[in-house]
Amino acid sequence: MKLDHIVHFTHTSPEASSAFWNDAGFHAVVGGSHKDWGTQNALMYGLDYYIEWLTVEDESVAEHSTHPLVELLRYDQRGFGTVCLRSDNLDRLAKQIEGRGFGTIGPMDAQRLTDTGETIRWRLLFLDQPISSGLPLPFFIEWEVPDEERFAGLKQKGAITDLNEGLRLDALVFSVEDPAQKEAEWKSLLGGSIGLENCRLVFEQGTGKERLREVRFESAGQEIIFEQGSYQVPRFG
């Protein structure tokens, strides 16, 4: 299984978020709007994953949304929220997860309207768990089109450049109260292993709210702090 994307909650507009990362030497783009959720995003792609900077666009819609991700956004406000893993069959995955003793929500349909008027569609599967200071379990996504077609389209549109393809992840570091217990829970959820094809998942001892603490890239040479999130990133030039 692969990491699909990292969700980072912000109080910054997609235009400002993408400008911040572009000014830092990276290539980020404005994503679009989730009209049914009242949210909008900016995106930065890697070779086979992306980072989503998600913020509220329409407070009146977001305030009344029961979508698990929007509820988590309202709880956390800003900072790293959760991570999403990619599946090619959410219906089958839901049965497997339920067989391992976890409750699920979905699969549910979702879509985003881009600034060019294109509608992007996908399906989501969440774990049925209360929102709290405890570490959220990952959620899962199934895209409407195959990976090869989706990434080829993103390259054609300029959302993915050679720079993006060179951004390989090393690890996602989570701060938790009991690393051994949390790793065991995630292993149980994922069928016995937390090994992802495109990054490592690391659980480290921490205090306070349990969340993703650090996104670490290969060949990291500098730290960038953005909206309470730590990124260990390459240094260009």
Side-chain angles (χ1 to χ4, degrees), residues 76-164:
D76 279 2
Q77 292 294 312
R78 56 170 37 145
F80 291 127
T82 186
V83 298
C84 179
L85 309 184
R86 188 155 67 245
S87 169
D88 59 4
N89 191 324
L90 282 188
D91 296 303
R92 180 178 61 204
L93 180 63
K95 292 179 181 178
Q96 292 171 342
I97 288 174
E98 290 164 1
R100 296 165 190 158
F102 296 86
T104 61
I105 300 172
M108 62 180 70
D109 295 329
Q111 63 182 34
R112 169 169 59 86
L113 181 66
T114 71
D115 56 0
T116 61
E118 180 184 9
T119 300
I120 310 296
R121 294 182 175 85
W122 63 92
R123 302 171 77 213
L124 296 174
L125 177 69
F126 289 87
L127 279 297
D128 189 4
Q129 61 178 150
I131 293 174
S132 70
S133 61
L135 183 67
L137 289 166
F139 67 105
F140 302 90
I141 192 166
E142 177 187 340
W143 291 94
E144 185 179 48
V145 299
D147 284 354
E148 295 82 0
E149 180 181 341
R150 186 165 63 90
F151 282 102
L154 290 166
K155 290 179 188 178
Q156 186 177 24
K157 296 168 189 171
I160 296 179
T161 65
D162 290 344
L163 185 151
N164 296 99

Side-chain angles (χ1 to χ4, degrees), residues 46-67:
L47 178 65
D48 52 6
Y49 68 92
Y50 65 94
I51 298 168
E52 175 184 30
W53 293 292
L54 185 68
T55 190
V56 171
E57 179 181 37
D58 187 329
E59 192 72 53
S60 62
V61 175
E63 182 181 358
H64 295 95
S65 174
T66 58
H67 191 284

Side-chain angles (χ1 to χ4, degrees), residues 32-53:
S33 300
H34 314 102
K35 296 301 184 184
D36 293 339
W37 308 346
T39 57
Q40 57 184 342
N41 62 19
L43 308 169
M44 184 169 76
Y45 289 90
L47 178 65
D48 52 6
Y49 68 92
Y50 65 94
I51 298 168
E52 175 184 30
W53 293 292

Side-chain angles (χ1 to χ4, degrees), residues 12 15-26 53 224-227:
T12 307
E15 292 77 12
S17 292
S18 58
F20 174 92
W21 286 94
N22 291 332
D23 289 345
F26 296 83
W53 293 292
I224 293 179
I225 302 293
F226 179 66
E227 287 275 17

